[in-house]
C-alpha cells in the first residue's frame, strides 16, 4: 500500500480529538498534583444527606475539599459534580458517619464505596497490603524462590 493511500484511511478529526483529550488529562493531573491530590478518580458519584448534615455549624468538608467542589448555599452544602475527583477528603473529615457517600471506580474496573472515615482507613490498609504483596511477589515469584533467598529449602 502506498503512503498516501495509508494516510487517507486516518480520521484526522478523531486524532485531533484524542490528542486534545490526552493533553487535557495531562493538564488535569498536573493541576491536581499541584493541589496535593494524590488519589483521584474520573468515574464516581457523591451525595450528601441533608438531614444528618450539621451544615453551618460545621462546613469542614467545604474547607477540606481540594478542588472547591463543595460550597455553602441556601442552607445546605452544594456539590459541583464536575469538580469532584472522589478523593474522599470530605468523608475523612465529616463529623457525621454516613452523611457523605462516595462511590468511585478504579482504573482496573473495581468500584469502592465509603461513607465513614473508618471505611477509608480500612480501604487504604487493604490497598497497601495488596501493594506490599505484589512487591514481594515481584521479587519472589514462588515460595521456593523466597526460601532459597533465606538459605532454606522446601520440606515435603
Ligand atoms: S471527594 Fe469530596 S473532597 Fe474530594 S473532590 Fe469530591 S467533594 Fe471534594
Ligand atoms: S463535614 Fe459533614 S456534617 Fe459537616 S458540613 Fe460537611 S457534610 Fe455536613
Amino acid at each position: 500500500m502506498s503512503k498516501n493511500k495509508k494516510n487517507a484511511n486516518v480520521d484526522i478529526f478523531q486524532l485531533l480529538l484524542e490528542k486534545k483529550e490526552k493533553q487535557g488529562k495531562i493538564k488535569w493531573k498536573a493541576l491536581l498534583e499541584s493541589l496535593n491530590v494524590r488519589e483521584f478518580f474520573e468515574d464516581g458519584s457523591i451525595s450528601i444527606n441533608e438531614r444528618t448534615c450539621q451544615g453551618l455549624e460545621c462546613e469542614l468538608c467545604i474547607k477540606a475539599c481540594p478542588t472547591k467542589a463543595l460550597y455553602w448555599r441556601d442552607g445546605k452544602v452544594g456539590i459541583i459534580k464536575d469538580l469532584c475527583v472522589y478523593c474522599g477528603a470530605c468523608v475523612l473529615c465529616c463529623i457525621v458517619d454516613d452523611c457523605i457517600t462516595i462511590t468511585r471506580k478504579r482504573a482496573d474496573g473495581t468500584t469502592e464505596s465509603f461513607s465513614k472515615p473508618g471505611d477509608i482507613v480500612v480501604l487504604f490498609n487493604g490497598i497497601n497490603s495488596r501493594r506490599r504483596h505484589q512487591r514481594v511477589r515481584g521479587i519472589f515469584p514462588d515460595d521456593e524462590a523466597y526460601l532459597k533467598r533465606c538459605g532454606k529449602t522446601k520440606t515435603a
Side-chain angles (χ1 to χ4, degrees):
M1 192 187 287
S2 78
K3 202 178 171 190
N4 281 349
K5 200 160 183 194
K6 216 175 179 181
N7 286 345
N9 293 331
V10 176
D11 184 343
I12 190 76
F13 293 108
Q14 186 59 34
L15 274 181
L16 283 172
L17 197 72
E18 278 171 10
K19 196 175 172 201
K20 208 174 161 204
E21 272 179 13
K22 223 176 181 178
Q23 282 174 343
K25 265 189 191 168
I26 291 166
K27 276 189 198 158
W28 186 64
K29 283 184 182 170
L31 186 70
L32 289 172
E33 272 162 25
S34 72
L35 293 170
N36 261 338
V37 184
R38 281 179 298 157
E39 279 243 300
F40 42 85
F41 299 78
E42 288 174 47
D43 284 336
S45 64
I46 176 168
S47 63
I48 297 179
N49 186 336
E50 286 170 25
R51 282 182 301 165
T52 56
C53 172
Q54 297 298 304
L56 205 50
E57 290 167 27
C58 169
E59 293 189 17
L60 282 174
C61 55
I62 297 173
K63 288 172 194 148
C65 178
T67 63
K68 310 274 178 253
L70 302 176
Y71 61 97
W72 181 257
R73 201 166 76 184
D74 299 333
K76 60 182 183 187
V77 180
I79 310 165
I80 305 168
K81 293 199 174 164
D82 282 346
L83 287 181
C84 181
V85 291
Y86 315 106
C87 65
C90 50
V91 175
L92 205 53
C93 72
C94 184
I95 54 170
V96 186
D97 280 354
D98 302 319
C99 183
I100 306 173
T101 303
I102 289 176
T103 301
R104 63 191 189 186
K105 197 170 170 184
R106 288 196 171 267
D108 65 4
T110 54
T111 53
E112 50 204 29
S113 191
F114 48 86
S115 55
K116 301 179 186 65
D119 293 344
I120 299 182
V121 175
V122 170
L123 194 67
F124 275 111
N125 281 343
I127 290 165
N128 287 341
S129 65
R130 245 193 340 265
R131 282 184 187 146
R132 274 198 297 275
H133 185 259
Q134 279 166 358
R135 269 205 300 276
V136 172
R137 269 286 166 244
I139 302 167
F140 306 111
D142 51 40
D143 296 351
E144 230 159 293
Y146 177 76
L147 290 169
K148 205 173 159 192
R149 173 77 168 80
C150 303
K152 294 177 183 169
T153 48
K154 208 172 181 179
T155 49

